[in-house]
Structures are given as C-alpha cells and as structure tokens.
Amino acid sequence: MQSGLYVSLSSQMALEKRLTTIADNMANVNTTGFRGTEVKFDEMMANNQNKTNTKVAFVSQGNDYLDTTHGEMQHTGNMLDFAIKGDAWFSLDTPAGRVLTRDGRFTIRDTGELVSTRGYPVLDAGGAPIVLNAAGGEPKVGTDGIIYQNDRQVASLGLFEADIDKGYLRYENSGIMTTEPPRAVVDRFNVGVEQGYLENSNVNAMHEMTQLIEVNRAFDSVSSLMRDSEDSFKEAVQTLGGSR
C-alpha cells in the first residue's frame, strides 16, 4: 500500500515538471526562433520487491530536450532579418559567453558592428564579431552566409552546430548555451541562410493546450488515487489496531 503512495508521488513530480515545460512553451509561442522543450520520462524499478513479490516501478522526474522541428518561415523583407535553413545556429557573444540562437533579427550599430536585438555581437565562423561598413548601404547575404556590400565581400555570417543532447541551458528566450563547444558548419549543402526571412517559434499552441488539459486531468486522477490509498491505509490501521 505504501508502494502505491510512492509511485503516485513520483508520478506527480513528473507531471509537475511537464506542466512547467508546457507553461514555458506557451509563454514563447510567439518568440522568434524559439524551439520548444519536451521531456523524456524513464521507468525505474525499485530495488526491493513487495511481499507479493511484485516489482514496483517508478517514473523518473524526466530529462529535458529540445524539439528540433523547424518553425515556419516568415517573409519580412527586412534586409537585416535572417533565417537558417537546416540544423544550425547563429552565435552571439554575450556576458555569459557564447550563445546559440535561431533568432536572426539583427541591426547595424553606428560603428558597423552587427548585433542582435539585445545588442550582443553576432559572430562569424571564426568566432569574431562581424563588423560591416555602416555607410556602405544595405548588405546582401547569399545562402552560404557570405555578406556583400557594394558588390564586395565584407564578412560572413557564422553558422554553428553542437550536440545539444550532451546538455544545454536556456539563455534569454530563444538562446541556448551548450555543454559542448559549438563547431562552425563548413561545406554543408543542406544548411544555409535566407535573407529577409525569420523563423517563427516551433511551438504548436493547440498541441500544448491539449497537453495541458491532459496533464491536469492526470494530476487530478493521481491526487484522487493518493487520497483513496491513504483512506484505505487508515482504515486498515484502525481495523488491525482493534479500534473498530
């Protein structure tokens, strides 16, 4: 009977984590370049068996992972908006270190430095800040990320990849910091840049709402089961104790 309470408690902890990820996804449904968070749960077997020799299984608290589905491309016509085709990221130099993002809303400072919406320098393939000619007119960027001004090559947008499965941390909306150092993408025919486009969040609001309803119902069911188990346990104690 106690095992049932422990199993229910582990289930509630897992459901709480799923609720947290759903809430975060819903909050970023309109965040440019955002990739939703999913949770993988594993079954864990208890070391001890109960008196009926039945194995007791618990659910883990879950491990976060990024949904790598691409968001919808939105045409903006802005020459400083960029979207990535394929599995790659832009890289920013932030106070916390190198951050990967798929939010390609960039601007040019008076100094010519290409920066993100938060003012962080955008890096080239070598990890150096990209500096353009502020008076050189609108830049043109090819699908390979090479930047031209006045028909002259002046810089190149860096595209990077990293093994996110080895660990990551969120950084300001759509940014992530990976445990493994990012690597520049070189000579990949299936990765490129689209100028004048942005990638929308890949979060499906209707799917998340459905998940939210299902998780809330599951949470209520587990809570009801725990109450019933506790009542049964109390009745058994009272009966065996001779109080009834």
Side-chain angles (χ1 to χ4, degrees):
M1 194 173 298
Q2 289 282 30
S3 296
L5 290 175
Y6 293 142
V7 170
S8 298
L9 182 60
S10 74
S11 176
Q12 282 192 325
M13 294 173 65
L15 289 171
E16 182 179 15
K17 187 177 185 69
R18 186 68 185 106
L19 279 173
T20 301
T21 60
I22 291 174
D24 183 58
N25 288 343
M26 290 296 294
N28 289 282
V29 69
N30 293 316
T31 300
T32 302
F34 182 81
R35 289 198 159 178
T37 305
E38 299 293 338
V39 183
K40 178 182 179 182
F41 298 103
D42 296 315
E43 182 183 61
M44 298 185 300
M45 303 300 296
N47 292 329
N48 301 323
Q49 296 182 352
N50 55 27
K51 293 182 179 180
T52 61
N53 291 325
T54 302
K55 292 183 179 180
V56 180
F58 299 87
V59 62
S60 68
Q61 294 186 27
N63 296 314
D64 295 349
Y65 67 94
L66 284 184
D67 178 3
T68 57
T69 304
H70 297 323
E72 181 182 352
M73 293 284 193
Q74 177 184 355
H75 181 258
T76 66
N78 187 339
M79 299 296 283
L80 291 176
D81 284 344
F82 304 97
I84 298 176
K85 295 176 62 177
D87 294 323
W89 305 76
F90 297 117
S91 185
L92 308 176
D93 184 16
T94 76
R98 293 273 296 273
V99 170
L100 300 179
T101 183
R102 289 180 69 93
D103 183 354
R105 296 174 296 167
F106 302 146
T107 57
I108 302 177
R109 287 177 172 167
D110 294 338
T111 57
E113 196 172 29
L114 189 67
V115 296
S116 69
T117 56
R118 299 295 181 95
Y120 303 135
V122 182
L123 304 181
D124 61 18
I130 296 174
V131 180
L132 306 177
N133 182 357
E138 289 186 332
K140 295 182 179 180
V141 181
T143 57
D144 55 1
I146 295 178
I147 305 174
Y148 300 87
Q149 283 184 300
N150 295 324
D151 296 325
R152 294 180 56 190
Q153 179 179 339
V154 293
S156 178
L157 279 172
L159 297 180
F160 297 84
E161 60 185 356
D163 189 351
I164 301 174
D165 293 337
K166 292 184 178 180
Y168 71 94
L169 293 174
R170 290 282 190 186
Y171 187 85
E172 293 186 358
N173 300 328
S174 60
I176 63 169
M177 301 181 67
T178 57
T179 302
E180 179 184 85
R183 305 177 302 276
V185 175
V186 181
D187 296 331
R188 285 267 298 277
F189 68 90
N190 57 344
V191 173
V193 176
E194 288 288 339
Q195 186 175 22
Y197 286 82
L198 290 174
E199 180 184 5
N200 293 330
S201 169
N202 71 349
V203 175
N204 185 317
M206 291 299 297
H207 173 74
E208 294 298 320
M209 284 298 297
T210 301
Q211 290 290 309
L212 180 62
I213 293 171
E214 291 179 354
V215 170
N216 276 317
R217 286 176 177 173
F219 200 94
D220 290 341
S221 297
V222 173
S223 297
S224 178
L225 177 61
M226 291 181 68
R227 287 192 297 268
D228 292 342
S229 297
E230 187 176 1
D231 290 342
S232 299
F233 184 71
K234 288 181 178 178
E235 289 183 8
V237 171
Q238 291 173 351
T239 301
L240 293 174
S243 60
R244 300 182 63 178

